[in-house]
Amino acid sequence: MSTSVSAPTAGRQRRAAPGPVPVHDAVICVAAPALAVSAPHGQLRAEGLDGFYRDGRRLLSRCELRVAGAEPVTVQARTLDAGRARFTAVVRTPGDRGPDPAVTVERIRSADGGERITFANAGPVGLRLPVEIGFGTDLAPLSAVAAGQPGPEVPCAVSGSGLRWASGDDTARVAATPAPDVALASSGVLGWELELPPGAARTIELRVEPAPAPTTADGARTPTGDRTPPMWAQARLESDDPRAGPLLDASLGDLQALELRAPDHPGDSYVAAGAPWRMGLAPADALWAARMALPFGTRLAAGTLRTLARVQDPATGRVPGVPRHSGPHLPPLCSGVEATLLFVTVLAEAHRWGLPDREVEPLLPAAERCLGWLRAATTDAGLVTDPTADGWLRSEVQAYAHRTALQGALLLDVFGRSGADGWRTHASALRTGFRRSLWTDDAGGGRPLSARAAGGRPVPVLTSSLAHLLDTGLLDGGALAPGLLDKGQTEQLGRLFAAPDLDSGWGLRTMSGKIPGFSPFGHRSGAVRVHETALAVSGLAAAGLEKEASALVGGVLDAAVGFGLRLPEMYGGERRSPGAAPCPHPTACRPAAVAAAGAVHLLMALVGVRPDAPGGTVAVRPVGTAPLGALRLSGLRVAEQPFSVRVSRMGMAMIEEAAPGLRLGS
């Protein structure tokens, strides 16, 4: 016995209102350079950022499913991994007996343009289901859609087993399997009559892609999803805290989803800054991600460094960047300053983790150009001025510069190049200048200034960017470099970070809640950015301030639960209250490279692995308070070989796997 019902044709496109598009509750799948975005109901309605995208262009803006004349009722949406999402829905039919729907609909959506829609009949009678899917697209650039300015819907034509759209040089198509029974170009609808016996299921597969699809030199199609296995494929974190392992898995998965290949050098990969807004190369973000992923291999760091060396300004040594908002009390800072100085750090630390000399040496000229830029930006007092705000001195820039000078000196020494002693002298002068100009003593124990204005005016604003003062850098022998702060100043900064005006309970705010202009949603005026909290954790732990470090770890892990263990670029810096969850930022990228990498760095800081692959040693300095309880971390890479370590509930470390001949350092 079968029950048959009819369905109307799906509607036309509904235009989004102009203005910035919020995405805090969107379901986003990423496999760079492709992504798919929808609301939790799973329908693409051409509203907001809805759609399948490839290389910054929307290939499909509308994909609206109707079954038996009605939209399925979505009961759950969840991400399976960074590149896939699952939507579960139910459908009422005239054959239902009582309140329980017999038909379920499962949609598995992939960022690379695939969708599997499965209809299952759990009822006692057979059904004939009319299924219609309405499609449409504007072929608009992502930048226009993000600004709330989508284009008009492009007319479509029937093409094989699907539909095709073309506007100028831009084209897209959707193909369906099995072929539809009905294809209407006028309304952009494909239709099927599905026979569903009791207990049976039927699947419709969709494929969205540019038309024609990309091809290789031999004419083979090249799916976006074809990727080399990630260097962290064997990474595993087992812990008494059940959140830690899934957070590491999700964060590494996000980094993999954001990985791009240099167009002219496909062997070199780097990560995009984040989805959906920043799906291209942002040098500072890419370097932070590469650096924080070093415990799992050097391949990403090497590809990132080679990519940036090709775009470095050969005359000045500057790595490209854009002005970055710095909050209400500071002028914007160009991210190129951060990237130029971070280039040297990533190269030096990649070498410590095991990047071979043969890969380091070709990058040394680029590192020397970065050092040349640093020399030109240094004043007679030994401090580094802000080239985007002439005369300003920022504490975070001094921290970058100090670390760069010491790690640059190490690289020059190891590879027999001149100038190492001069850079160590440079670092010493910078320490003296910082303590004289950018630390202020007061009755509360003193504090670092965020900056001094061009005329010398102090800017005593407490921000999470001061965590960079604790990020001193890895040298040889597994030792951390000395920092700009002495022991007492480091302890005082730890106390400031632990105070509730900076620690929101979910992580460090980008600006103290006591400062005029504080906003819990301000990028640099109060929101929480995970990677700076992670830097604070690693620096505090290294300085022996384990109580303060552990408190920040607990806050971020609690926040991660509120985001399904997939941390966004930033989130609200409101003060934590009992029973509350962290507040999403409406336009934060998720996934975001620095957030994912920051979560990795925070977890790695608890283990404290400090390698010196060229010297054949590795030191392990776990956090003695063991805030996650006992843990075992495997799948790391030191000296290009597998490395595993176990930490007990007492904070004692034991190496379980290491490269032959690798000695335990002091």
Side-chain angles (χ1 to χ4, degrees):
M1 175 181 177
S2 294
T3 300
S4 179
V5 292
S6 61
T9 299
R12 298 288 292 175
Q13 178 181 17
R14 287 178 286 277
R15 183 69 65 84
V21 179
V23 293
H24 59 282
D25 61 353
V27 179
I28 301 176
C29 307
V30 184
L35 71 154
V37 185
S38 78
H41 51 62
Q43 300 276 44
L44 304 183
R45 306 190 195 277
E47 295 174 344
L49 212 64
D50 283 3
F52 284 94
Y53 296 80
R54 179 83 59 87
D55 294 317
R57 186 164 298 277
R58 182 154 66 176
L59 301 183
L60 195 68
S61 59
R62 193 161 54 85
C63 181
E64 297 180 275
L65 172 67
R66 296 179 72 86
V67 182
E71 290 195 8
V73 177
T74 304
V75 294
Q76 186 186 63
R78 65 186 181 93
T79 55
L80 301 177
D81 53 43
R84 297 181 303 145
R86 178 179 184 263
F87 305 90
T88 303
V90 296
V91 174
R92 296 284 303 174
T93 71
D96 289 338
R97 302 289 187 264
D100 302 330
V103 175
T104 60
V105 182
E106 178 191 69
R107 302 175 76 165
I108 303 292
R109 180 171 296 152
S110 300
D112 64 1
E115 182 159 337
R116 288 174 54 89
I117 308 174
T118 300
F119 307 85
N121 177 16
V125 299
L127 297 171
R128 180 180 298 112
L129 286 183
V131 173
E132 288 188 350
I133 308 177
F135 299 93
T137 187
D138 52 9
L139 293 174
L142 173 58
S143 56
V145 181
Q149 299 172 343
E153 189 167 291
V154 176
C156 74
V158 175
S159 174
S161 62
L163 301 170
R164 186 180 189 277
W165 297 265
S167 177
D169 293 333
D170 300 314
T171 60
R173 69 180 174 191
V174 59
T177 305
D181 301 314
V182 176
L184 302 175
S186 59
S187 52
V189 168
L190 301 180
W192 295 260
E193 289 283 339
L194 298 183
E195 294 287 346
L196 277 179
R202 297 288 185 267
T203 296
I204 295 172
E205 295 192 30
L206 305 175
R207 167 60 57 181
V208 183
E209 58 194 359
T215 60
T216 62
D218 61 2
R221 291 169 65 178
T222 309
T224 305
D226 282 1
R227 294 170 174 267
T228 56
M231 62 188 192
W232 44 72
Q234 304 304 314
R236 297 290 183 274
L237 175 58
E238 304 163 52
S239 170
D240 287 345
D241 190 318
R243 303 168 297 180
L247 177 59
L248 179 65
D249 292 344
S251 299
L252 293 174
D254 282 352
L255 290 176
Q256 176 66 11
L258 291 169
E259 189 172 351
L260 294 168
R261 299 170 189 164
D264 298 329
H265 297 80
D268 292 341
S269 62
Y270 55 88
V271 294
W277 317 115
R278 306 173 66 206
M279 288 293 287
L281 174 63
D285 295 63
L287 285 165
W288 277 116
R291 182 190 182 201
M292 291 176 164
L294 279 171
F296 297 99
T298 59
R299 188 179 75 204
L300 181 61
T304 303
L305 291 165
R306 286 192 290 264
T307 298
L308 295 181
R310 290 190 288 269
V311 300
Q312 182 185 37
D313 184 339
T316 65
R318 178 84 165 269
V319 175
V322 296
R324 185 188 70 200
H325 181 60
S326 298
H329 301 282
L330 295 167
L333 173 66
C334 180
S335 62
V337 173
E338 185 177 11
T340 302
L341 299 175
L342 192 55
F343 185 100
V344 177
T345 287
V346 175
L347 181 59
E349 294 189 357
H351 190 227
R352 292 298 114 190
W353 279 95
L355 186 65
D357 289 2
R358 67 180 182 276
E359 295 192 55
V360 175
E361 287 187 283
L363 291 164
L364 289 175
E368 289 175 315
R369 288 193 290 271
C370 292
L371 291 170
W373 179 90
L374 174 57
R375 183 180 291 109
T378 302
T379 68
D380 292 341
L383 298 173
V384 181
T385 57
D386 183 347
T388 56
D390 190 36
W392 278 70
L393 300 171
R394 300 179 192 252
S395 285
E396 66 181 289
V397 172
Q398 313 315 312
Y400 305 153
H402 184 261
R403 185 184 64 222
T404 296
L406 291 177
Q407 292 182 318
L410 176 61
L411 281 172
L412 295 174
D413 258 351
V414 168
F415 288 91
R417 296 177 180 251
S418 62
D421 289 343
W423 283 110
R424 293 189 179 96
T425 300
H426 184 106
S428 178
L430 209 162
R431 282 195 298 276
T432 300
F434 175 88
R435 293 172 187 178
R436 181 175 60 247
S437 299
L438 288 166
W439 181 273
T440 181
D441 291 313
D442 57 32
R447 66 181 57 199
L449 301 175
S450 282
R452 277 194 183 273
R457 174 179 60 86
V459 184
V461 178
L462 289 175
T463 73
S464 62
S465 67
L466 295 172
H468 293 282
L469 295 171
L470 302 176
D471 180 28
T472 61
L474 180 65
L475 297 180
D476 52 346
L480 297 178
L484 292 173
L485 306 179
D486 62 26
K487 184 176 185 294
Q489 291 169 337
T490 298
E491 292 172 349
Q492 174 63 3
L493 184 56
R495 287 189 285 271
L496 294 171
F497 280 165
D501 60 313
L502 264 184
D503 181 5
S504 69
W506 307 114
L508 290 178
R509 293 165 165 151
T510 49
M511 192 173 81
S512 164
K514 294 180 178 180
I515 303 297
F518 167 80
S519 165
F521 294 106
H523 282 58
R524 293 287 170 180
S525 56
V528 175
R529 300 177 70 90
V530 175
H531 87 287
E532 288 181 336
T533 300
L535 290 176
V537 167
S538 61
L540 292 169
L545 303 174
E546 296 186 344
K547 178 182 177 182
E548 294 84 349
S550 296
L552 290 174
V553 170
V556 172
L557 280 170
D558 290 342
V561 172
F563 294 105
L565 297 175
R566 189 187 200 189
L567 286 162
E569 175 187 12
M570 72 192 89
Y571 47 89
E574 293 180 316
R575 182 66 194 159
R576 182 174 179 173
S577 59
C583 194
H585 192 288
T587 59
C589 287
R590 183 167 173 258
V594 292
V600 172
H601 189 69
L602 181 145
L603 294 170
M604 295 304 101
L606 302 181
V607 182
V609 179
R610 302 177 195 167
D612 181 8
T617 66
V618 61
V620 182
R621 295 287 179 268
V623 174
T625 55
L628 303 185
L631 61 85
R632 180 179 184 274
L633 183 60
S634 58
L636 285 77
R637 305 283 294 183
V638 176
E640 299 190 283
Q641 297 295 317
F643 187 88
S644 300
V645 63
R646 185 184 296 274
V647 178
S648 73
R649 294 184 181 91
M650 301 298 293
M652 303 295 291
M654 180 178 69
I655 296 174
E656 294 189 336
E657 183 180 24
L662 192 66
R663 306 183 308 279
L664 185 63
S666 59

Short mmCIF file of all heavy atoms in Angstrom, two decimals, residues 260-286:
data_model
loop_
_atom_site.label_atom_id
_atom_site.label_comp_id
_atom_site.label_asym_id
_atom_site.label_seq_id
_atom_site.Cartn_x
_atom_site.Cartn_y
_atom_site.Cartn_z
N LEU A 260 45.87 25.96 2.94
CA LEU A 260 45.91 26.32 1.53
C LEU A 260 47.29 25.98 0.96
O LEU A 260 48.27 25.89 1.70
CB LEU A 260 45.64 27.81 1.34
CG LEU A 260 44.25 28.32 1.71
CD1 LEU A 260 44.24 29.85 1.74
CD2 LEU A 260 43.22 27.82 0.71
N ARG A 261 47.34 25.85 -0.35
CA ARG A 261 48.61 25.62 -1.02
C ARG A 261 48.97 26.83 -1.86
O ARG A 261 48.10 27.42 -2.50
CB ARG A 261 48.52 24.38 -1.92
CG ARG A 261 48.20 23.10 -1.16
CD ARG A 261 47.88 21.96 -2.11
NE ARG A 261 47.38 20.79 -1.40
CZ ARG A 261 46.76 19.78 -1.98
NH1 ARG A 261 46.54 19.80 -3.29
NH2 ARG A 261 46.33 18.76 -1.27
N ALA A 262 50.22 27.20 -1.83
CA ALA A 262 50.67 28.33 -2.65
C ALA A 262 50.41 28.00 -4.12
O ALA A 262 50.82 26.93 -4.60
CB ALA A 262 52.15 28.60 -2.41
N PRO A 263 49.72 28.89 -4.87
CA PRO A 263 49.32 28.55 -6.25
C PRO A 263 50.47 28.12 -7.15
O PRO A 263 50.33 27.16 -7.91
CB PRO A 263 48.68 29.86 -6.74
CG PRO A 263 48.24 30.55 -5.50
CD PRO A 263 49.25 30.21 -4.45
N ASP A 264 51.60 28.80 -7.07
CA ASP A 264 52.72 28.47 -7.95
C ASP A 264 53.71 27.49 -7.31
O ASP A 264 54.68 27.10 -7.95
CB ASP A 264 53.46 29.75 -8.35
CG ASP A 264 52.56 30.70 -9.12
OD1 ASP A 264 51.66 30.21 -9.84
OD2 ASP A 264 52.75 31.92 -9.01
N HIS A 265 53.47 27.15 -6.05
CA HIS A 265 54.35 26.22 -5.34
C HIS A 265 53.47 25.28 -4.52
O HIS A 265 53.39 25.41 -3.29
CB HIS A 265 55.33 26.98 -4.45
CG HIS A 265 56.26 27.87 -5.19
ND1 HIS A 265 55.89 29.13 -5.65
CD2 HIS A 265 57.55 27.70 -5.58
CE1 HIS A 265 56.91 29.69 -6.26
NE2 HIS A 265 57.93 28.84 -6.25
N PRO A 266 52.81 24.33 -5.16
CA PRO A 266 51.82 23.50 -4.45
C PRO A 266 52.41 22.66 -3.34
O PRO A 266 51.66 22.13 -2.51
CB PRO A 266 51.24 22.63 -5.57
CG PRO A 266 52.24 22.69 -6.68
CD PRO A 266 52.90 24.02 -6.59
N GLY A 267 53.72 22.53 -3.28
CA GLY A 267 54.33 21.81 -2.17
C GLY A 267 54.39 22.61 -0.89
O GLY A 267 54.68 22.06 0.17
N ASP A 268 54.12 23.92 -0.98
CA ASP A 268 54.18 24.79 0.19
C ASP A 268 52.76 25.11 0.66
O ASP A 268 51.96 25.65 -0.10
CB ASP A 268 54.90 26.10 -0.14
CG ASP A 268 56.37 25.89 -0.41
OD1 ASP A 268 56.90 24.85 0.01
OD2 ASP A 268 56.99 26.78 -1.03
N SER A 269 52.46 24.78 1.89
CA SER A 269 51.13 25.06 2.43
C SER A 269 51.22 26.04 3.58
O SER A 269 52.26 26.20 4.23
CB SER A 269 50.45 23.76 2.88
OG SER A 269 51.19 23.15 3.93
N TYR A 270 50.11 26.71 3.81
CA TYR A 270 49.96 27.64 4.94
C TYR A 270 48.49 27.64 5.28
O TYR A 270 47.67 27.06 4.55
CB TYR A 270 50.45 29.05 4.57
CG TYR A 270 49.77 29.61 3.34
CD1 TYR A 270 48.58 30.32 3.42
CD2 TYR A 270 50.33 29.43 2.07
CE1 TYR A 270 47.96 30.82 2.29
CE2 TYR A 270 49.72 29.92 0.93
CZ TYR A 270 48.53 30.62 1.05
OH TYR A 270 47.91 31.11 -0.08
N VAL A 271 48.10 28.26 6.37
CA VAL A 271 46.69 28.27 6.73
C VAL A 271 46.09 29.64 6.49
O VAL A 271 46.73 30.67 6.70
CB VAL A 271 46.46 27.84 8.20
CG1 VAL A 271 46.84 26.39 8.40
CG2 VAL A 271 47.18 28.74 9.16
N ALA A 272 44.85 29.63 6.00
CA ALA A 272 44.08 30.86 5.89
C ALA A 272 43.75 31.36 7.29
O ALA A 272 43.75 30.59 8.26
CB ALA A 272 42.79 30.61 5.11
N ALA A 273 43.44 32.64 7.40
CA ALA A 273 43.22 33.24 8.72
C ALA A 273 41.94 32.72 9.36
O ALA A 273 41.90 32.53 10.59
CB ALA A 273 43.19 34.75 8.61
N GLY A 274 40.87 32.50 8.59
CA GLY A 274 39.64 32.02 9.21
C GLY A 274 38.46 32.09 8.27
O GLY A 274 38.49 32.79 7.26
N ALA A 275 37.44 31.35 8.61
CA ALA A 275 36.21 31.31 7.82
C ALA A 275 35.08 31.97 8.63
O ALA A 275 35.01 31.82 9.85
CB ALA A 275 35.85 29.86 7.50
N PRO A 276 34.19 32.69 7.96
CA PRO A 276 34.10 32.82 6.50
C PRO A 276 34.77 34.05 5.92
O PRO A 276 34.89 34.17 4.72
CB PRO A 276 32.59 32.91 6.28
CG PRO A 276 32.11 33.66 7.49
CD PRO A 276 32.96 33.19 8.63
N TRP A 277 35.23 34.98 6.76
CA TRP A 277 35.64 36.29 6.25
C TRP A 277 37.05 36.32 5.70
O TRP A 277 37.36 37.12 4.82
CB TRP A 277 35.55 37.35 7.36
CG TRP A 277 34.34 37.26 8.20
CD1 TRP A 277 34.29 36.96 9.54
CD2 TRP A 277 32.99 37.46 7.79
NE1 TRP A 277 32.99 36.96 9.97
CE2 TRP A 277 32.17 37.28 8.93
CE3 TRP A 277 32.39 37.78 6.58
CZ2 TRP A 277 30.80 37.40 8.89
CZ3 TRP A 277 31.02 37.90 6.54
CH2 TRP A 277 30.24 37.73 7.68
N ARG A 278 37.95 35.49 6.23
CA ARG A 278 39.38 35.69 5.97
C ARG A 278 39.98 34.39 5.42
O ARG A 278 40.82 33.76 6.05
CB ARG A 278 40.09 36.14 7.25
CG ARG A 278 39.45 37.38 7.88
CD ARG A 278 40.07 37.70 9.23
NE ARG A 278 41.45 38.10 9.09
CZ ARG A 278 42.36 37.97 10.05
NH1 ARG A 278 42.05 37.38 11.20
NH2 ARG A 278 43.60 38.38 9.84
N MET A 279 39.55 34.04 4.22
CA MET A 279 39.94 32.76 3.64
C MET A 279 41.20 32.85 2.78
O MET A 279 41.42 32.01 1.92
CB MET A 279 38.78 32.20 2.82
CG MET A 279 37.62 31.70 3.67
SD MET A 279 38.05 30.24 4.64
CE MET A 279 38.11 29.00 3.35
N GLY A 280 42.01 33.86 3.01
CA GLY A 280 43.26 34.00 2.27
C GLY A 280 44.44 34.09 3.21
O GLY A 280 44.34 33.87 4.43
N LEU A 281 45.59 34.42 2.66
CA LEU A 281 46.83 34.51 3.42
C LEU A 281 46.86 35.80 4.24
O LEU A 281 46.76 36.89 3.70
CB LEU A 281 48.03 34.47 2.48
CG LEU A 281 49.41 34.71 3.11
CD1 LEU A 281 49.74 33.61 4.13
CD2 LEU A 281 50.50 34.78 2.03
N ALA A 282 46.97 35.67 5.55
CA ALA A 282 47.24 36.78 6.47
C ALA A 282 48.54 36.42 7.15
O ALA A 282 48.58 35.52 8.01
CB ALA A 282 46.11 36.94 7.48
N PRO A 283 49.66 37.05 6.78
CA PRO A 283 50.98 36.57 7.22
C PRO A 283 51.13 36.36 8.72
O PRO A 283 51.66 35.33 9.15
CB PRO A 283 51.92 37.65 6.69
CG PRO A 283 51.26 38.14 5.44
CD PRO A 283 49.79 38.15 5.80
N ALA A 284 50.69 37.31 9.54
CA ALA A 284 50.88 37.15 10.98
C ALA A 284 50.10 35.95 11.51
O ALA A 284 50.63 35.14 12.28
CB ALA A 284 50.46 38.43 11.71
N ASP A 285 48.84 35.79 11.09
CA ASP A 285 48.03 34.66 11.54
C ASP A 285 48.65 33.34 11.08
O ASP A 285 48.68 32.36 11.83
CB ASP A 285 46.62 34.79 10.98
CG ASP A 285 45.88 35.99 11.53
OD1 ASP A 285 46.33 37.12 11.28
OD2 ASP A 285 44.85 35.81 12.17
N ALA A 286 49.12 33.32 9.82
CA ALA A 286 49.70 32.08 9.30
C ALA A 286 50.96 31.70 10.07
O ALA A 286 51.20 30.51 10.35
CB ALA A 286 50.02 32.26 7.81
#
